[in-house]
mmCIF file of all heavy atoms in Angstrom:
data_model
loop_
_atom_site.group_PDB
_atom_site.id
_atom_site.type_symbol
_atom_site.label_atom_id
_atom_site.label_comp_id
_atom_site.label_asym_id
_atom_site.label_seq_id
_atom_site.Cartn_x
_atom_site.Cartn_y
_atom_site.Cartn_z
ATOM 1 N N LEU A 168 -13.077 6.294 7.419
ATOM 2 C CA LEU A 168 -12.604 5.159 7.919
ATOM 3 C C LEU A 168 -12.943 3.992 7.188
ATOM 4 O O LEU A 168 -12.243 3.026 6.981
ATOM 5 C CB LEU A 168 -13.009 5.099 9.392
ATOM 6 C CG LEU A 168 -12.374 6.129 10.385
ATOM 7 C CD1 LEU A 168 -13.177 6.096 11.744
ATOM 8 C CD2 LEU A 168 -10.833 5.889 10.566
ATOM 9 N N THR A 169 -14.250 3.871 6.795
ATOM 10 C CA THR A 169 -14.751 2.711 6.168
ATOM 11 C C THR A 169 -13.956 2.593 4.796
ATOM 12 O O THR A 169 -13.776 1.535 4.355
ATOM 13 C CB THR A 169 -16.281 2.871 5.811
ATOM 14 O OG1 THR A 169 -16.869 2.999 6.978
ATOM 15 C CG2 THR A 169 -16.830 1.702 5.083
ATOM 16 N N GLY A 170 -13.688 3.694 4.143
ATOM 17 C CA GLY A 170 -12.948 3.578 2.770
ATOM 18 C C GLY A 170 -11.565 3.081 2.869
ATOM 19 O O GLY A 170 -10.942 2.719 1.986
ATOM 20 N N LEU A 171 -10.999 2.990 4.130
ATOM 21 C CA LEU A 171 -9.635 2.449 4.386
ATOM 22 C C LEU A 171 -9.783 0.931 4.432
ATOM 23 O O LEU A 171 -8.595 0.275 4.376
ATOM 24 C CB LEU A 171 -9.022 2.927 5.560
ATOM 25 C CG LEU A 171 -8.741 4.525 5.672
ATOM 26 C CD1 LEU A 171 -8.069 4.821 7.025
ATOM 27 C CD2 LEU A 171 -7.831 4.808 4.621
ATOM 28 N N VAL A 172 -10.934 0.316 4.546
ATOM 29 C CA VAL A 172 -10.989 -1.102 4.514
ATOM 30 C C VAL A 172 -10.955 -1.674 3.122
ATOM 31 O O VAL A 172 -11.806 -1.298 2.254
ATOM 32 C CB VAL A 172 -12.395 -1.677 5.174
ATOM 33 C CG1 VAL A 172 -12.444 -3.194 5.165
ATOM 34 C CG2 VAL A 172 -12.417 -1.136 6.609
ATOM 35 N N PRO A 173 -9.938 -2.377 2.735
ATOM 36 C CA PRO A 173 -9.864 -2.910 1.237
ATOM 37 C C PRO A 173 -11.274 -3.668 0.780
ATOM 38 O O PRO A 173 -11.807 -4.315 1.589
ATOM 39 C CB PRO A 173 -8.786 -3.758 1.274
ATOM 40 C CG PRO A 173 -7.871 -3.478 2.471
ATOM 41 C CD PRO A 173 -8.938 -2.929 3.494
ATOM 42 N N ALA A 174 -11.518 -3.522 -0.487
ATOM 43 C CA ALA A 174 -12.663 -4.162 -1.044
ATOM 44 C C ALA A 174 -12.712 -5.612 -0.739
ATOM 45 O O ALA A 174 -13.712 -6.247 -0.674
ATOM 46 C CB ALA A 174 -12.820 -3.820 -2.433
ATOM 47 N N ARG A 175 -11.527 -6.258 -0.672
ATOM 48 C CA ARG A 175 -11.560 -7.639 -0.489
ATOM 49 C C ARG A 175 -12.022 -8.096 0.844
ATOM 50 O O ARG A 175 -12.361 -9.289 1.046
ATOM 51 C CB ARG A 175 -10.103 -8.304 -0.691
ATOM 52 C CG ARG A 175 -9.070 -7.749 0.399
ATOM 53 C CD ARG A 175 -7.736 -8.191 0.178
ATOM 54 N NE ARG A 175 -6.709 -7.575 0.980
ATOM 55 C CZ ARG A 175 -6.505 -7.880 2.165
ATOM 56 N NH1 ARG A 175 -7.218 -8.977 2.748
ATOM 57 N NH2 ARG A 175 -5.603 -7.339 2.983
ATOM 58 N N LEU A 176 -12.052 -7.166 1.851
ATOM 59 C CA LEU A 176 -12.498 -7.457 3.114
ATOM 60 C C LEU A 176 -13.994 -6.962 3.366
ATOM 61 O O LEU A 176 -14.524 -7.200 4.543
ATOM 62 C CB LEU A 176 -11.662 -6.725 4.212
ATOM 63 C CG LEU A 176 -10.249 -7.299 4.085
ATOM 64 C CD1 LEU A 176 -9.379 -6.474 5.339
ATOM 65 C CD2 LEU A 176 -10.128 -8.844 4.510
ATOM 66 N N ARG A 177 -14.702 -6.374 2.396
ATOM 67 C CA ARG A 177 -16.007 -5.971 2.437
ATOM 68 C C ARG A 177 -16.691 -5.913 1.095
ATOM 69 O O ARG A 177 -16.119 -5.589 0.181
ATOM 70 C CB ARG A 177 -16.080 -4.589 3.136
ATOM 71 C CG ARG A 177 -15.354 -3.420 2.344
ATOM 72 C CD ARG A 177 -15.669 -2.198 3.178
ATOM 73 N NE ARG A 177 -14.831 -1.137 2.390
ATOM 74 C CZ ARG A 177 -15.178 -0.349 1.380
ATOM 75 N NH1 ARG A 177 -16.472 -0.562 0.859
ATOM 76 N NH2 ARG A 177 -14.479 0.539 0.809
ATOM 77 N N ARG A 178 -17.966 -6.288 1.152
ATOM 78 C CA ARG A 178 -18.696 -6.149 -0.048
ATOM 79 C C ARG A 178 -19.377 -4.780 -0.045
ATOM 80 O O ARG A 178 -19.480 -4.089 0.920
ATOM 81 C CB ARG A 178 -19.828 -7.211 -0.151
ATOM 82 C CG ARG A 178 -19.232 -8.629 -0.266
ATOM 83 C CD ARG A 178 -20.282 -9.757 -0.081
ATOM 84 N NE ARG A 178 -21.526 -9.356 -0.737
ATOM 85 C CZ ARG A 178 -22.645 -10.174 -0.652
ATOM 86 N NH1 ARG A 178 -22.680 -11.231 0.001
ATOM 87 N NH2 ARG A 178 -23.702 -9.735 -1.411
ATOM 88 N N ASP A 179 -19.788 -4.391 -1.242
ATOM 89 C CA ASP A 179 -20.469 -3.064 -1.369
ATOM 90 C C ASP A 179 -21.653 -2.798 -0.474
ATOM 91 O O ASP A 179 -21.933 -1.741 0.001
ATOM 92 C CB ASP A 179 -20.942 -2.820 -2.911
ATOM 93 C CG ASP A 179 -19.580 -2.645 -3.723
ATOM 94 O OD1 ASP A 179 -18.546 -2.313 -3.202
ATOM 95 O OD2 ASP A 179 -19.931 -2.766 -4.895
ATOM 96 N N ASP A 180 -22.338 -3.867 -0.177
ATOM 97 C CA ASP A 180 -23.519 -3.849 0.662
ATOM 98 C C ASP A 180 -23.450 -4.133 2.098
ATOM 99 O O ASP A 180 -24.260 -4.330 2.904
ATOM 100 C CB ASP A 180 -24.706 -4.639 0.132
ATOM 101 C CG ASP A 180 -24.202 -6.128 -0.214
ATOM 102 O OD1 ASP A 180 -23.017 -6.495 0.025
ATOM 103 O OD2 ASP A 180 -25.100 -6.940 -0.539
ATOM 104 N N ALA A 181 -22.093 -4.355 2.428
ATOM 105 C CA ALA A 181 -21.678 -4.726 3.896
ATOM 106 C C ALA A 181 -21.951 -3.447 4.687
ATOM 107 O O ALA A 181 -21.843 -2.231 4.255
ATOM 108 C CB ALA A 181 -20.351 -5.162 3.999
ATOM 109 N N ARG A 182 -22.278 -3.567 5.948
ATOM 110 C CA ARG A 182 -22.449 -2.547 6.933
ATOM 111 C C ARG A 182 -21.161 -2.530 7.857
ATOM 112 O O ARG A 182 -20.801 -3.542 8.388
ATOM 113 C CB ARG A 182 -23.608 -2.745 7.872
ATOM 114 C CG ARG A 182 -23.954 -1.632 8.762
ATOM 115 C CD ARG A 182 -24.526 -0.458 8.058
ATOM 116 N NE ARG A 182 -24.730 0.710 8.959
ATOM 117 C CZ ARG A 182 -25.909 0.858 9.758
ATOM 118 N NH1 ARG A 182 -26.864 -0.067 9.691
ATOM 119 N NH2 ARG A 182 -25.883 1.975 10.542
ATOM 120 N N VAL A 183 -20.537 -1.385 7.841
ATOM 121 C CA VAL A 183 -19.299 -1.288 8.691
ATOM 122 C C VAL A 183 -19.665 -0.282 9.975
ATOM 123 O O VAL A 183 -20.171 0.754 9.803
ATOM 124 C CB VAL A 183 -18.125 -0.519 7.929
ATOM 125 C CG1 VAL A 183 -16.972 -0.428 8.874
ATOM 126 C CG2 VAL A 183 -17.877 -1.611 6.593
ATOM 127 N N ARG A 184 -19.234 -0.796 11.188
ATOM 128 C CA ARG A 184 -19.585 -0.090 12.488
ATOM 129 C C ARG A 184 -18.349 -0.001 13.209
ATOM 130 O O ARG A 184 -17.404 -0.865 13.135
ATOM 131 C CB ARG A 184 -20.753 -0.906 13.228
ATOM 132 C CG ARG A 184 -21.954 -1.060 12.508
ATOM 133 C CD ARG A 184 -22.473 0.268 11.882
ATOM 134 N NE ARG A 184 -22.656 1.275 12.883
ATOM 135 C CZ ARG A 184 -23.781 1.565 13.483
ATOM 136 N NH1 ARG A 184 -24.801 0.724 13.399
ATOM 137 N NH2 ARG A 184 -23.832 2.648 14.331
#
Side-chain angles (χ1 to χ4, degrees):
L168 291 170
T169 299
L171 296 180
V172 180
R175 63 183 174 81
L176 296 178
R177 61 178 172 87
R178 293 172 46 180
D179 291 340
D180 52 358
R182 183 76 182 274
V183 179
R184 302 309 306 267

